[in-house]
């Protein structure tokens, strides 16, 4: 029986595929490569020294998806595929609602048709919006404040209704905090298209000389040094959290929600300092205006995941920065700088 990974060519998806393969699991990847590179999948196979079926197609292509379910015995689905740029979602809300919601309904309907009822959904701490209590527990009020976050919130609600409608469903909603870093090999990593929106890839591109300086979005927040605080979690820790969640769904029915974070927040200035230590480079920065929609501090209370999944993040900020730096130096142009993508595996 195999695990179907949607969006397996993406940043978190590719790292999770490596961990699944290393654990001896069989996987199948479906990805439309709209925001990822097929090269990442070649490298996943290289790292894990195992081949796996890849289907380059959109999840909304129902007939193509039914073909995948006909051709394989699928025991569970990890659903990463989706559009995820907050800023773009504000500019193009319909694109986000259509893609993220319709791909998920098509997936769930096809799962139901083929009797596959185990689903892990890639959600985000962004569903908490402006939380009024820190650290954030899963019971905290939900209130996304941008279209991207609202698609995650709506999908979570849809999955709650689905689980309530039929006890056969076993669903885990995983709310990621701020994934950073890369596999220790430096062969896979975060490969933002265009100008990085997120802090760490931006810092890495400044460190390697591709960008001039970091704009620190505000230093007047109610935090120790005034700059934004986030719960950065190593992407491999996050990936391993998915394997623990699959184990949980082996014996737990119904729907379960988990925060996947470290429980520790770091400020922008602390991240810059940590990256300077990891890279040996000076990271120029300037204090800029706050970014609209940003909050001052956001970090998880991961106690529920620690207890119920037997999982916790083990990689610290030094390893996050060192692994991100190794990926950046080895791949200055991301996957685009590599040889043309070979035929699907
Ligand atoms: C982190 C901190 C910024 C860039 C986003 C998405 C969220 C999730 C994770 C998908 C903040 C500051 C950033 C820069 C800066 N993605 N910053 N200069 O906003 O916490 O979360 O990524 O699920 O949905 O919203 O991450 O890395 O953009 O920002 O000062 O050039 O760094 O203000 O305090 P964020 P981020």
């Amino acid at each position: 029986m195999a695990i179907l990974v949607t969006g397996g060519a993406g940043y978190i998806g590719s790292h999770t595929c490596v961990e699944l393969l290393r654990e001896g699991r069989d996987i199948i990847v479906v990805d439309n490569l709209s925001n990822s590179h097929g090269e990442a999948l070649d490298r996943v196979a290289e790292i894990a020294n195992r081949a796996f079926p890849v289907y380059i197609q959109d999840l909304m292509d129902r007939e193509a998806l039914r073909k995948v379910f006909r051709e394989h015995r699928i025991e569970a689905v990890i659903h990463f595929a989706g559009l995820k740029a907050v800023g773009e979602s504000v500019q193009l809300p319909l694109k986000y609602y259509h893609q993220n919601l319709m791909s998920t309904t098509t997936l769930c309907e096809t799962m139901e048709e083929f009797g596959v009822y185990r689903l892990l959904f890639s959600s985000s701490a962004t569903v908490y919006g402006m939380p009024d209590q820190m650290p954030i527990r899963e019971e905290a009020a939900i209130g996304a404040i941008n279209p991207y976050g609202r698609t995650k919130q709506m999908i979570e609600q849809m999955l709650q209704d689905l689980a309530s409608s039929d006890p056969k469903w076993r669903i885990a909603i995983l709310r990621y905090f701020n994934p950073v870093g890369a596999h220790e090999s430096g062969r896979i990593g975060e490969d933002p298209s265009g100008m990085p929106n997120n802090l760490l890839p931006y810092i890495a591109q400044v460190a390697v000389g591709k960008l001039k300086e970091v704009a620190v979005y505000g230093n007047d927040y109610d935090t120790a040094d005034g700059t934004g605080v986030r719960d950065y979690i190593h992407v491999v820790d996050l990936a391993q959290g998915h394997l623990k969640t699959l184990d949980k769904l082996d014996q737990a029915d119904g729907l379960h929600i988990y925060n996947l974070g470290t429980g520790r927040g770091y400020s922008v200035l602390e991240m810059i300092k940590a990256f300077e230590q990891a890279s040996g480079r000076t990271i120029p920065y300037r204090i800029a205006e706050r970014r609209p929609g940003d909050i001052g501090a956001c970090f998880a209370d991961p106690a529920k995941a620690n207890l119920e999944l037997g999982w916790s993040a083990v990689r610290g900020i030094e390893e996050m920065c060192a692994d991100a730096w190794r990926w950046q130096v080895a791949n200055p142009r991301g996957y685009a700088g590599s040889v043309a993508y070979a035929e699907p595996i």
Side-chain angles (χ1 to χ4, degrees):
M1 298 277 273
I3 309 291
L4 171 61
V5 182
T6 76
Y11 174 42
I12 304 169
S14 56
H15 284 83
T16 303
C17 285
V18 165
E19 299 308 311
L20 288 165
L21 291 168
R22 285 180 50 186
E23 194 187 57
R25 298 264 182 162
D26 293 324
I27 68 169
I28 303 146
V29 170
V30 169
D31 199 309
N32 67 6
L33 299 186
S34 65
N35 190 25
S36 52
H37 291 267
E39 171 68 13
L41 295 170
D42 284 340
R43 297 191 186 185
V44 165
E46 169 203 307
I47 294 168
N49 195 24
R50 283 185 64 196
F52 49 91
V54 174
Y55 293 81
I56 306 301
Q57 61 192 51
D58 192 294
L59 278 178
M60 290 187 288
D61 183 342
R62 188 185 299 270
E63 281 318 305
L65 187 60
R66 296 181 77 246
K67 182 170 180 290
V68 178
F69 278 79
R70 274 200 306 275
E71 291 179 353
H72 301 277
R73 291 179 61 229
I74 294 166
E75 65 177 294
V77 177
I78 304 180
H79 181 31
F80 292 108
L83 301 174
K84 62 162 186 161
V86 172
E88 185 187 48
S89 79
V90 174
Q91 306 302 324
L92 302 170
L94 278 181
K95 178 181 178 183
Y96 273 68
Y97 286 115
H98 182 79
Q99 183 72 39
N100 289 1
L101 297 179
M102 296 306 292
S103 58
T104 305
T105 49
T106 305
L107 172 66
C108 291
E109 287 168 336
T110 307
M111 288 177 69
E112 201 168 42
E113 179 187 349
F114 286 86
V116 180
Y117 290 98
R118 293 186 189 187
L119 173 64
L120 280 66
F121 174 60
S122 166
S123 191
S124 167
T126 203
V127 302
Y128 292 115
M130 302 272 187
D132 53 13
Q133 198 174 6
M134 218 44 68
I136 305 176
R137 296 168 57 83
E138 288 85 354
E139 299 75 28
I142 299 300
I145 57 171
N146 57 66
Y148 158 73
R150 279 193 274 272
T151 67
K152 293 295 186 181
Q153 184 174 330
M154 291 176 185
I155 293 168
E156 287 196 7
Q157 186 57 64
M158 183 181 78
L159 296 178
Q160 304 249 16
D161 293 340
L162 187 58
S164 303
S165 73
D166 185 339
K168 289 198 288 292
W169 283 99
R170 293 183 175 188
I171 296 172
I173 291 171
L174 302 178
R175 292 173 180 164
Y176 309 151
F177 279 71
N178 289 60
V180 295
H183 186 266
E184 61 186 4
S185 64
R187 295 291 287 154
I188 56 175
E190 188 170 9
D191 185 20
S193 48
M195 189 69 76
N197 294 306
N198 293 139
L199 180 65
L200 215 71
Y202 201 103
I203 289 176
Q205 291 193 20
V206 170
V208 81
K210 197 171 172 185
L211 294 172
K212 176 172 170 285
E213 63 181 5
V214 177
V216 176
Y217 294 144
N219 67 344
D220 57 351
Y221 286 106
D222 182 16
T223 62
D225 64 17
T227 63
V229 168
R230 294 293 185 275
D231 186 331
Y232 298 97
I233 177 170
H234 197 294
V235 64
V236 176
D237 279 332
L238 190 61
Q240 290 176 349
H242 290 73
L243 275 63
K244 292 287 191 183
T245 304
L246 282 173
D247 295 341
K248 171 76 178 178
L249 294 191
D250 277 343
Q251 83 262 336
D253 52 14
L255 182 138
H256 308 269
I257 300 175
Y258 297 106
N259 286 339
L260 295 190
T262 67
R264 163 82 196 265
Y266 285 97
S267 74
V268 176
L269 294 182
E270 287 175 317
M271 290 306 282
I272 289 173
K273 187 171 182 328
F275 208 91
E276 288 185 326
Q277 287 168 351
S279 63
R281 302 288 175 90
T282 301
I283 313 280
Y285 67 86
R286 62 182 170 84
I287 302 300
E289 288 302 306
R290 289 184 177 192
R291 180 172 62 176
D294 269 356
I295 57 178
C298 175
F299 53 96
D301 176 345
K304 186 180 176 192
N306 301 160
L307 178 68
E308 294 188 13
L309 301 179
W311 166 90
S312 60
V314 295
R315 293 165 178 81
I317 192 171
E318 300 78 11
E319 198 168 346
M320 293 178 208
C321 293
D323 291 344
W325 177 237
R326 190 177 306 109
W327 155 257
Q328 179 64 60
V329 169
N331 305 273
R333 293 180 52 234
Y335 294 113
S338 61
V339 295
Y341 170 48
E343 280 307 302
I345 296 160

